[in-house]
Amino acid sequence: MDKRLSMLKEIQALEFVAIELNLYLDTHPGDRAALRDFYTIRDKLFAAIECYEKTYGPLRVFGDAPSQYPWPWIEDPWPWEIEYK
Amino acid sequence: MWIYEKKLEYPVRVYKNDIGMARLLMAQYGGPDSELSAAVRYLTQRYTMPTNKAKGLLTDIGTEEMAHWEIVATMIYKLVKGVPAKQLREAGLGAYFAEHDRAVYPADAAGMPWTAAYIQATGDPIADLHEDMAAEQKARATYEHLIQLTDDPGVKDTLRFLRQREVVHFQRFGEALNDVQALMDSKKFF
Ligand SMILES: [Fe+2]
């Protein structure tokens, strides 16, 4: 669970930066430096999510998690059940 | 449409049960200036915004508010998890428990159910964006009150994150407002 949590926290950290840049770009669509940062972070975020989903199952129902039987989407823990340390 | 991501935007750590704090957090879950009000307000107002910046911003902040609503729900869920019904009653949640058990029902700290009367959508982008900026400041103030009301370092940490987001949202709404104002001025309505 420790490895899983640290990967999840890395995804949360990357996605937070992406959200922050997303909102900034909504009102500054011509800011080249912010655009460059956004695409760099987005690539890192997708890589981190892909890596997480390969081992721990889908974070997104249409994501990159490998095909699996039975339907892995409903497996716990759900977000509110995770015990962070 | 929306697609769910099976994770919280920010971690929620709760070190011990605190029924009173769960009740106070209902203010941000189902109260007038709650995350639910914020999400419904922005996602409703976006249809009548005149600029693409404002349409995009209301869509994206409204979406982030739904993630904050989930974070607040998770704090409440964890704060009362496993607490016996009698203790909930002693802490003043007897009436709540009778109707909702430990369900996370959208009501305010006093038990009043959430209502759309908490929000406004006037169709006037200047009026709506001003309401949004005021709402962000009210939510920031509420989070500052809540931070003072708990000793739990996990709850404090998550509340600080949420407080900070309100500051950023306020800033972005101000920029969208300036943009809309410039458009209105250029059209010389009156
Ligand atoms: Fe906000």
Side-chain angles (χ1 to χ4, degrees), chain B residues 99-114:
Chain B
E99 286 177 358
H100 309 296
D101 197 318
R102 285 175 198 77
V104 193
Y105 179 75
D108 74 4
M112 281 286 287
W114 187 85

Side-chain angles (χ1 to χ4, degrees), chain B residues 46-107:
Chain B
R46 66 187 177 134
Y47 299 102
T48 42
M49 283 292 147
T51 68
N52 286 335
K53 285 181 185 173
K55 288 173 206 168
L57 191 66
L58 283 164
T59 300
D60 294 336
I61 294 184
T63 301
E64 189 183 359
E65 304 293 12
M66 290 201 283
H68 296 171
W69 196 49
E70 182 183 40
I71 288 174
V72 176
T74 300
M75 282 195 280
I76 295 167
Y77 169 81
K78 288 186 172 186
L79 283 164
V80 298
K81 196 177 164 200
V83 175
K86 275 194 173 166
Q87 276 184 41
L88 290 170
R89 184 179 173 180
E90 282 157 18
L93 280 181
Y96 182 94
F97 184 86
E99 286 177 358
H100 309 296
D101 197 318
R102 285 175 198 77
V104 193
Y105 179 75

Side-chain angles (χ1 to χ4, degrees), chain B residues 35 38 42 61 64-65 68 132 135-136 139 143 162 165-170 173:
Chain B
E35 300 291 353
Y42 306 151
I61 294 184
E64 189 183 359
E65 304 293 12
H68 296 171
D132 301 344
E136 294 294 335
Y143 279 124
L162 293 170
R165 297 311 293 152
E166 312 301 4
V167 175
V168 172
H169 293 172
F170 174 79
F173 280 134

